[in-house]
Amino acid sequence: SYGDGWNGAEYTISEVEGAELKDGTLTSGNYGEDHVCLHDDVCYSVLINPGSYDNEVTWEIGKYGVGLVAAGAGANSPMGCQFSTNGFCTTTCTVDDDDDSSGACSGMPGSGSSYSLMLYDSAGDGWNGAGYTVKNKNSGSIKATGTLGAGMSSQEDMCLPVGCYTLEVSSGGHADEVSWFLGDAGISGGAPANCQFAVGNPVNCPSYCEVEEDDNSGGGGGGGGGGGNH
C-alpha cells in the first residue's frame, strides 16, 4: 500500500500434498503480476513469509474467466492458507472484513454483484487522458466510466446485475504507464484494450481481452489475466 514493494516479504505457492510451484516478491512499487499454472481439483497453499512492513502487504489470485479464488493480507501462519480453483477444498485464503456491507451493491438487495476495478499508473501521475468504460453488451447501457485522475492507484467499485459486459480502456497520453486489474472477472491488461466478461452465467459470453495497436504512444501496456495481485 505504501508503494515501495514488499520490503522483504515473499510468497510461496505449493500443492498441499505436492511440490512448490512458484515463489516471489514485489521488489518495488505498489502493484505487480506473476503467473502460475494451476489446475482444478487440486488443493494449493499460499505461504507469506514476513518482511519489514507486513501491514502494507496484500495479494490476490484470480482465475481467467472465473475471477478471484484467493486473497490475503500481511504474513500468514507457518502452514500458510489453502485454496482451490474450483471449490475442491475449503478456502482459508480470505481477507477478514469487519464491514458487513456488500461494496457497491450495499443497500440494494438483488440488484447485482460488487466488482472492483483496480487502476494503476507506473509513473504515479494518473492516466493522462486514458479512461475506462463498462457497458452492458446487449443493451449498450453504460454501467461505469472513469479514469485515474492522479497518483499511482485507485479502486473503482461497480454494482453489476447478471449479464454480459464489455470493458474498454482508451490509451491517453502515456499508454505504456497504464495497467488495470478486474480480479472479480479474472481479467487484467494495459491500454488500449477491448475486453468482455460475464457476471453470473449469461449465454454466449466468453471472457477475453484484446490489446489494440496504439499509434500515438508506441506501447501497448501489459499484464495478462489471472495473475496474483501483490
Side-chain angles (χ1 to χ4, degrees):
S1 62
Y2 193 75
D4 59 348
W6 273 17
N7 295 286
E10 297 179 332
Y11 74 87
T12 301
I13 301 174
S14 306
E15 294 181 0
V16 170
E17 298 182 356
E20 178 180 314
L21 301 177
K22 183 93 174 173
D23 59 21
T25 187
L26 179 64
T27 55
S28 62
N30 69 342
Y31 170 77
E33 287 190 9
D34 288 341
H35 298 263
V36 59
C37 184
L38 304 176
H39 301 280
D40 290 345
D41 299 330
V42 179
C43 193
Y44 297 98
S45 69
V46 179
L47 174 65
I48 306 296
N49 292 312
S52 300
Y53 299 98
D54 295 335
N55 60 310
E56 298 176 1
V57 172
T58 60
W59 56 270
E60 295 178 345
I61 298 176
K63 178 182 177 182
Y64 184 78
V66 174
L68 195 68
V69 295
N76 53 22
S77 70
M79 298 299 294
C81 62
Q82 71 175 24
F83 75 99
S84 63
T85 59
N86 65 338
F88 177 74
C89 63
T90 301
T91 297
T92 60
C93 294
T94 58
V95 178
D96 292 331
D97 188 355
D98 294 331
D99 185 359
D100 293 331
S101 68
S102 55
C105 296
S106 178
M108 298 156 52
S111 63
S113 301
S114 291
Y115 276 61
S116 295
L117 175 63
M118 302 302 300
L119 313 180
Y120 301 98
D121 183 83
S122 61
D125 60 351
W127 273 14
N128 297 287
Y132 73 87
T133 301
V134 176
K135 294 182 181 180
N136 184 290
K137 182 179 180 180
N138 295 322
S139 69
S141 61
I142 296 176
K143 296 300 182 180
T145 185
T147 186
L148 178 60
M152 297 184 67
S153 64
S154 177
Q155 177 174 313
E156 306 290 311
D157 294 323
M158 304 174 285
C159 185
L160 302 177
V162 172
C164 190
Y165 293 88
T166 61
L167 169 63
E168 297 179 358
V169 181
S170 60
S171 57
H174 298 282
D176 58 320
E177 299 173 2
V178 172
S179 61
W180 53 269
F181 179 60
L182 185 59
D184 301 295
I187 57 175
S188 62
N194 181 19
C195 307
Q196 177 176 286
F197 66 96
V199 176
N201 294 295
V203 177
N204 297 325
C205 188
S207 295
Y208 67 83
C209 273
E210 297 176 349
V211 178
E212 304 171 10
E213 286 293 332
D214 180 21
D215 296 331
N216 295 322
S217 71
N229 173 18
H230 308 299

